[in-house]
Amino acid sequence: MSEFKFDALCIGNAITDVFSHVEDSFLVDQSLVKGSMRLVDTDEALRLYDLMGQTTRISGGSAGNTAAGIASLGGAPAFIGKVADDEIGEVYRHDMNSIGAHFQTSPLRDDLASGRSMILITPDGERTMNTYLGSATKLTALDIDPEVVSNSAITYMEGYLWDEEAAKKAFLEASRVAHEAGKLVSLSLSDSFCVDRFRDEFLELIREDKVDILFANEHELKALYQTSDIETAIALVREDCTLTALTLGSEGAMAISREETVHVPATAIVGGVRDLTGAGDLFASGFLFGLARDFSLSDCAELGCLCAGEVISHVGARPEKPLNQIAEQSGFT
Ligand code: GMP
């Protein structure tokens, strides 16, 4: 890998997770379906936030979680995403900076408030989510700092960005700048509904080499090739993309390139799986960190599984134990 300052630049929706413990009656009063996820508009977001009482706030979002994992491994991540000039935006910035992620995207100054996912936890431990994307949807090509892109070994982007025309342009600009600097570009397919919305465009990105490394889980890869057979999807993606990191849940993960295919088992979870939130995001942290540092594909996948294993052993999408210690204990130096 050529010289770089950041292992990975993660670009995605800047969403702050806002947690609050509520009684079941709160859900009933607000006509909320327990365990569901819904998108809310500005008025509803601000109204609900005011009613939530005491909250715990932590920066989140798929790419943000990946950046946090890279920091915890002892790497140097950068993040680009749009917050607003408000309290939640300040929380996001503070959090990202405090974990050591470079985050300098200028805040949005118009009518949208900072993106947030308001997570209501009832006494039975169920989580009811109300997500307001807000400012996060306003990312544009002007937010892509070419200095940061050229100084990152890999620029990693969420497929979710494809939902907004301006963010799409930002994605393409980042890909152009990264490639001009001789660096790598990576896309996460985000979820299978996202793949259904943008299948042709995602295929074009990999076939035209605007993306070098694809991250997908089994459902997303099958959706990309509209097949129910994972082996068929693997054979097709091998033709289309230089490198694919495929996660297989409890079956571990694969790395697929034209020259080699590796399959590593999932990490055993002492005490069992608690919460799958963030599994894919943290897998990407380990894989990207390894790739930036010229690890073998098998080690990249193994480190990805180790990081995912930590985050699913507890509730929440951010690592609780320092990932560099976990990596060291498993022989990664
Ligand atoms: O989903 C991303 C990654 O999380 C996978 O590649 C695994 O490393 C891990 N993972 C997801 N689901 C499970 C599970 O049920 N058990 C275990 N041990 N790991 C899982």
Side-chain angles (χ1 to χ4, degrees):
M1 194 72 65
S2 58
E3 283 289 296
F4 62 84
K5 187 168 162 195
F6 303 111
D7 292 277
L9 161 63
C10 303
I11 308 181
N13 285 328
I15 307 280
T16 299
D17 291 332
V18 181
F19 297 93
S20 160
H21 289 274
V22 299
E23 294 300 324
D24 284 73
S25 57
F26 184 93
L27 301 186
V28 175
D29 290 348
Q30 300 303 317
S31 310
L32 298 174
V33 180
K34 194 191 275 191
S36 66
M37 198 296 267
R38 64 170 186 148
L39 288 175
V40 298
D41 63 15
T42 307
D43 288 348
E44 177 63 359
L46 298 178
R47 191 190 69 81
L48 202 58
Y49 184 54
D50 279 346
L51 290 175
M52 280 177 80
Q54 199 182 13
T55 60
T56 306
R57 300 171 300 185
I58 178 162
S59 60
S62 179
N65 292 339
T66 300
I70 292 170
S72 183
L73 279 166
F79 178 78
I80 291 179
K82 207 74 178 161
V83 294
D85 192 14
D86 57 15
E87 194 192 338
I88 294 272
E90 200 35 57
V91 167
Y92 198 92
R93 178 173 310 283
H94 172 84
D95 245 38
M96 288 307 260
N97 290 150
S98 72
I99 59 170
H102 173 96
F103 173 40
Q104 304 248 303
T105 315
S106 66
L108 180 75
R109 295 174 204 278
D110 72 4
D111 56 341
L112 290 184
S114 286
R116 67 201 69 185
S117 184
M118 290 166 287
I119 303 169
L120 306 168
I121 308 171
T122 30
D124 57 3
E126 282 261 24
R127 292 142 58 103
T128 305
M129 305 216 280
N130 304 267
T131 303
Y132 168 65
L133 294 170
S135 60
T137 61
K138 297 287 179 180
L139 189 78
T140 76
L142 294 175
D143 294 310
I144 303 302
D145 180 345
E147 272 292 302
V148 177
V149 178
S150 339
N151 279 300
S152 299
I154 306 159
T155 291
Y156 170 82
M157 296 178 264
E158 293 175 12
Y160 289 130
L161 290 177
W162 222 248
D163 274 316
E164 301 290 329
E165 274 309 312
K168 217 181 258 198
K169 293 208 176 82
F171 185 118
L172 293 171
E173 174 63 3
S175 164
R176 189 189 66 74
V177 174
H179 281 153
E180 214 168 80
K183 302 296 201 291
L184 294 169
V185 176
S186 180
L187 166 72
S188 160
L189 290 182
S190 291
D191 76 41
S192 56
F193 299 109
C194 188
V195 176
D196 286 337
R197 291 198 289 279
F198 305 113
R199 177 175 300 105
D200 291 346
E201 290 169 83
F202 287 163
L203 282 171
E204 199 177 304
L205 286 175
I206 56 176
R207 287 177 179 154
E208 291 185 353
D209 294 325
K210 293 195 170 108
V211 163
D212 311 295
I213 309 150
L214 188 68
F215 280 84
N217 66 24
E218 202 172 342
H219 306 293
E220 293 154 6
L221 198 67
K222 285 181 186 165
L224 187 65
Y225 289 105
Q226 293 180 282
T227 171
S228 56
D229 178 35
I230 191 65
E231 293 304 329
T232 303
I234 290 172
L236 290 169
V237 81
R238 191 199 309 286
E239 290 296 309
D240 281 343
C241 194
T242 312
L243 177 61
T244 303
L246 173 66
T247 57
L248 299 164
S250 59
E251 297 299 311
M254 291 174 79
I256 302 147
S257 74
R258 293 194 182 107
E259 299 75 33
E260 82 181 292
T261 301
V262 299
H263 186 175
V264 301
T267 310
I269 316 288
V270 182
V273 175
R274 287 284 308 282
D275 170 19
L276 285 170
T277 321
D281 303 338
L282 270 289
F283 174 86
S285 307
F287 196 96
L288 292 169
F289 178 89
L291 209 56
R293 293 173 187 232
D294 288 328
F295 289 13
S296 67
L297 286 186
S298 165
D299 281 351
C300 290
E302 195 185 322
L303 188 56
C305 286
L306 266 183
C307 296
E310 194 285 335
V311 85
I312 64 178
S313 67
H314 57 78
V315 174
R318 290 283 169 96
E320 281 183 353
K321 294 197 199 94
L323 294 176
N324 61 338
Q325 282 176 20
I326 293 177
E328 237 170 75
Q329 282 159 10
S330 294
F332 289 98
T333 47

